[in-house]
Amino acid sequence: MDDAVMSSAALRMPTSLRRALQWAGSGLALIGLVFVAFRLRSYWFDLDFSRVNSLLWVQFSGLVLIYGAANLLPILAWRNLLIYLGASVTRLATIRIYGMSQLAKYIPGNIFHLAGRQALGMAAGMSAGILAKSIILDLSTMAVAGSLFGWLIMPILLPGFLELAGVLLLFSSAVFMVVILKKTSGYPPVWAFFWHMLYLAISGAVFVALLILVAGVEGTSSFFCLTIGGVYIVAWLIGLLTPGAPAGLGVREMILLLLLEGIIDDVDLLMATLLGRLVTVVGDLVIFMAISSIPANIWDCRKVMPKNVR
C-alpha cells in the first residue's frame, strides 16, 4: 500500500503563502530547539553525577535510541488518521512534518507543535480543514489510549486490587476499543490506536528500565513493573492534557512523585524522573536532527494515487 496524494486544489496554493507557512513551521521548530537547549542545561545541573557511572551512561544512551525510534510510532498513527480523512501527503512528507514540528512542544503554551504541524502541512499542500481534524483526532486517540493504562495503577489507588486484574482490564478494554473503531470507522483509526498504544507501552517500559538501573527494583514482580509503567503513562497523559505546560513539564514529574511516594525511595525516584525527562528530550532532539539532516528534495515525493487508498 503506497502513500496518499496531494490534492490538485492544494497544489494551486500561491508560492508566497506556501513559503510563509514553511518559514512559520520551521521557525517554531527552531524556537523549540532553543527551549530544548535550556531544558537540557537545567536537567544536566540537577543530576547527581556521583551516582552515574560509565555503564549507566551506556545504558542511558541505548534507552535514548529506543525512545527516539519509538517516536516514529505516533507519526504512523497520525498518517493513518490522515488517510482516514482522505488527506493527500506522502509517507516521507508525513515524517518530516511531524518530526520537524515536535520540538515546538517545549515552548511554553503546549500548542506550538500543533501550530507548526498545521503550518508545515499546509505548506506541503494539505487541506487546512483535514489537518485540523487530524490533529484533533490524533490527540483524542492518544488520550483514549493513555487513559486505558489507568487500569494498571489501580493497585496503588485501591489497596487489595490485584495487579493481574489491572492487566486483564487493560487488555480487554483495548480489544473493545479496536472492535468499536473497526465497526464504526474502519482500519486506519484502528491502526492509529494501535500505534499510540505501542508507543505508550514503550515509553512506560523505558521509564521502568531507568528506575531499575537507578534503584535496582528488578527483584519486584513483573506485574508491579507494569504498575510502575502505568503510573508513568498516566502522568504523561495528565501532562499532555494540562494547558500551558510545555511537553507536560513539571506536571508529569509531580504526578510521578505523588503516586510513587512511599513505594520507591524519594532519592531514587527523583533521579529516575530526571533521567526519564532527559531521555525524552534527547530522543526528540535525535529525531529532529536526523530528519533535518536529510536533503529537502528527498522529502518532496508527490505521487498521484487513487484518492481512497487506505
Side-chain angles (χ1 to χ4, degrees), residues 31-41 103 106 281-282 285:
I31 294 172
L33 189 59
V34 173
F35 276 93
V36 165
F38 281 109
R39 188 54 52 198
L40 285 173
R41 182 177 180 274
L103 281 189
Y106 293 100
V281 174
V282 176
L285 185 59

Side-chain angles (χ1 to χ4, degrees), residues 128-272:
I130 287 180
L131 273 167
K133 290 177 184 177
S134 73
I135 290 173
I136 293 172
L137 281 178
D138 188 48
L139 291 173
S140 301
T141 306
M142 191 179 293
V144 170
S147 66
L148 295 187
F149 284 93
W151 289 117
L152 296 181
I153 73 170
M154 295 306 291
I156 293 177
L157 302 178
L158 298 174
F161 192 94
L162 295 178
E163 294 162 346
L164 177 59
V167 175
L168 293 176
L169 285 169
L170 168 62
F171 179 77
S172 59
S173 298
V175 171
F176 176 76
M177 281 300 305
V178 166
V179 172
I180 294 297
L181 287 172
K182 182 178 178 296
K183 286 187 176 181
T184 59
S185 307
Y187 281 105
V190 170
W191 279 109
F193 174 74
F194 171 77
W195 293 128
H196 279 314
M197 290 287 291
L198 184 57
Y199 166 74
L200 291 174
I202 293 175
S203 299
V206 166
F207 178 75
V208 172
L210 279 173
L211 197 55
I212 290 174
L213 292 177
V214 170
V217 296
E218 66 274 8
T220 60
S221 70
S222 56
F223 284 129
F224 182 66
C225 287
L226 288 174
T227 299
I228 295 175
V231 169
Y232 177 85
I233 294 169
V234 169
W236 171 90
L237 177 60
I238 295 174
L240 173 72
L241 299 178
T242 301
L249 181 62
V251 177
R252 184 191 307 174
E253 289 77 5
M254 179 184 68
I255 300 299
L256 280 169
L257 293 173
L258 284 175
L259 290 178
L260 294 178
E261 184 180 10
I263 300 175
I264 306 295
D265 183 77
D266 288 349
V267 175
D268 292 332
L269 181 57
L270 183 59
M271 185 69 172

